[in-house]
């Protein structure tokens, strides 16, 4: 009786005995500290964005005031109204005839770490 040896190859390319296996590329060690801080800062940005959204959702008069100021191109008043909600984050505000956009940003160690952008339609 004659037996022939047929080598077994794993079909998964990551198996070491696969004909398609390539050694893993070596990557440097990771330091997740900045990612951790960015995630925590972004949570604060989300809280501030939520504060503004709650004010807009709960008060039609606040929204109307904001729209009137934007329609008059009164950026100072639009910014003042947004700040009256009690937010602490830096926010860049932009508006046009179709809506409002707010870009909340924060820094960690003088490095911009995160940004959260909210765009709302009003027309």
């Amino acid at each position: 009786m004659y037996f022939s040896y047929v080598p077994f190859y794993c079909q998964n390319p990551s198996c070491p005995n696969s004909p398609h296996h390539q050694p893993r590329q070596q990557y440097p060690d990771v330091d997740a500290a900045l990612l951790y801080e960015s995630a925590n800062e972004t949570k604060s940005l989300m809280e501030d964005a939520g504060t503004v959204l709650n004010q807009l959702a709960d008060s039609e008069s606040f929204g109307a005031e904001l729209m009137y100021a934007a329609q008059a191109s009164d950026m100072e008043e639009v910014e003042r109204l947004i700040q009256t909600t009690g937010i602490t984050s830096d926010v860049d505000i932009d508006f046009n005839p179709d809506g409002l956009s707010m870009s909340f940003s924060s820094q960690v160690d003088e490095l911009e770490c995160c940004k959260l952008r909210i765009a709302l339609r009003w027309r």
Side-chain angles (χ1 to χ4, degrees):
M1 185 179 263
Y2 175 73
F3 291 98
S4 68
Y5 173 72
V6 177
F8 169 77
Y9 291 113
C10 176
Q11 297 304 311
N12 185 335
S14 65
C15 290
N17 66 345
S18 167
H20 306 288
H21 175 72
Q22 295 177 3
R24 286 185 169 246
Q25 183 177 355
Q26 295 299 313
Y27 295 104
D29 290 338
V30 297
D31 179 2
L34 181 58
L35 178 61
Y36 172 81
E37 291 181 57
S38 293
N40 281 298
E41 285 295 319
T42 301
K43 286 171 58 176
S44 296
L45 298 180
M46 290 178 67
E47 288 174 14
D48 277 352
T51 298
V52 174
L53 293 173
N54 286 337
Q55 183 69 29
L56 289 166
D58 295 342
S59 173
E60 283 189 44
S61 63
F62 178 80
E65 263 188 271
L66 188 69
M67 289 178 72
Y68 282 125
Q71 188 175 28
S73 297
D74 189 348
M75 179 58 91
E76 285 183 24
E77 181 63 5
V78 171
E79 290 174 347
R80 187 194 72 75
L81 286 166
I82 297 294
Q83 292 299 324
T84 64
T85 63
I87 63 171
T88 58
S89 301
D90 293 333
V91 61
D92 289 322
I93 301 165
D94 191 27
F95 52 83
N96 60 41
D98 294 329
L100 169 73
S101 68
M102 298 172 287
S103 184
F104 297 83
S105 61
S106 188
Q107 294 184 349
V108 171
D109 297 330
E110 299 181 25
L111 173 71
E112 184 176 77
C113 68
C114 39
K115 190 173 280 199
L116 178 66
R117 183 161 186 229
I118 305 289
L120 302 170
R121 296 280 313 248
W122 58 37
R123 187 173 141 190

